[in-house]
Amino acid sequence: MGRETVLRGDDGPNEEDRSLRPQSISEMVGQLEVRERLKVVVDAAVKRDEPLGHILFDGPPGLGKTTFATCIPKDLGVNFQLTSGPALQAPKDLVPYLTNADERSILFIDEIHRLPKAVEEYLYTAMEDFRIDIVLGEGTNARTINLQIKPFTLIGATTRSGMLTAPLRDRFPLREHLDFYTNEELAEIIRRNAAKLDVTIEADASLEISERSRGTPRVANNRLRWIRDYVTSKADGHITMKLARDAMKMQEIDTLGLDNQDRKYLSTIIRVFGGGPAGLEAIAHTMNAAPETLADEVEPFLLRTELLVRTPRGRMVTNKALEHVRGYKK
């Protein structure tokens, strides 16, 4: 397959992550409607022998945006380049990707909402007219060359679609939102990936892991890797319900998928602020944590599972959270 360029250093997917990823859209589990729509446009592009239209994926982290982006070029049989918004600080950083792109190839930009304004505007003519302007020289000797590039497909991924400008968003004919997975879908992913990791797992154990994985394949894979290490160290490498529960108990992952930091956040509001309302800054100072960490990493899942509510006066825990925290036992 074609060249795959990763400019994200340690943030890029490692070999084990790649080995767990499906190799084609048909191998993917979940996101049924998205998969069906993508199959249609991929099939149409192959039959017409034309570039695929630009695609934008949005949704929370870990739901498969990068997986879709890597499967599409394999289904099309075209080359693939990968980079990220923060890695493209100036238009000159983008030029090698555009000039080296083969016809009908895929350029994937992760976290596309973090593109600087100048780079985003440079993309407009590349996406619409497949041409770019290159400046040669400096000062009064500078001259601009209008360069035609080969028709390509841009796939963008973002966890914050609201931060995209309207001109950029409107240049994507196909926009797909990825939602959270059901427990049954996650259990199927866990069973498949257990086989790839050379461990055996019982059906009830895979469902137990899925129920504690926050509806997110990335979380499920992380849980599975930890449990694989646990059963390799403590038992014979076969994952049973008891061993899965023991492993997650050791990691302090409870039945709702909350970890120690999640429960500490809830218990701080309950114990110190009487259940709320409490401001984020006050909670963060009490926990000795960064407000951004709580807002970006802790609160989204607590809000989605109705353990926390945001009010104009601050954060408040729900009765469901009160019962869960008080009933938790290590």
Side-chain angles (χ1 to χ4, degrees), residues 2 13 40 43 111 134 152 187 194 199 221 240 252 257 275 277 284-285 305 326-327:
V40 169
D43 185 52
E111 296 300 305
I134 298 179
F152 72 101
V199 292
N221 287 336
T240 64
E252 299 186 67
H285 287 311
T305 49
R326 287 170 180 168

Side-chain angles (χ1 to χ4, degrees), residues 65-81:
K65 296 183 293 294
T66 301
T67 300
F68 272 116
T70 55
C71 285
I72 289 171
K74 291 173 183 174
D75 286 355
L76 287 169
V78 299
N79 285 343
F80 173 60
Q81 297 183 93

Side-chain angles (χ1 to χ4, degrees), residues 161-177:
S161 59
M163 292 179 65
L164 287 175
T165 63
L168 179 60
R169 190 168 54 243
D170 291 344
R171 281 172 169 81
F172 289 95
L174 192 63
R175 298 195 288 269
E176 295 291 354
H177 175 76

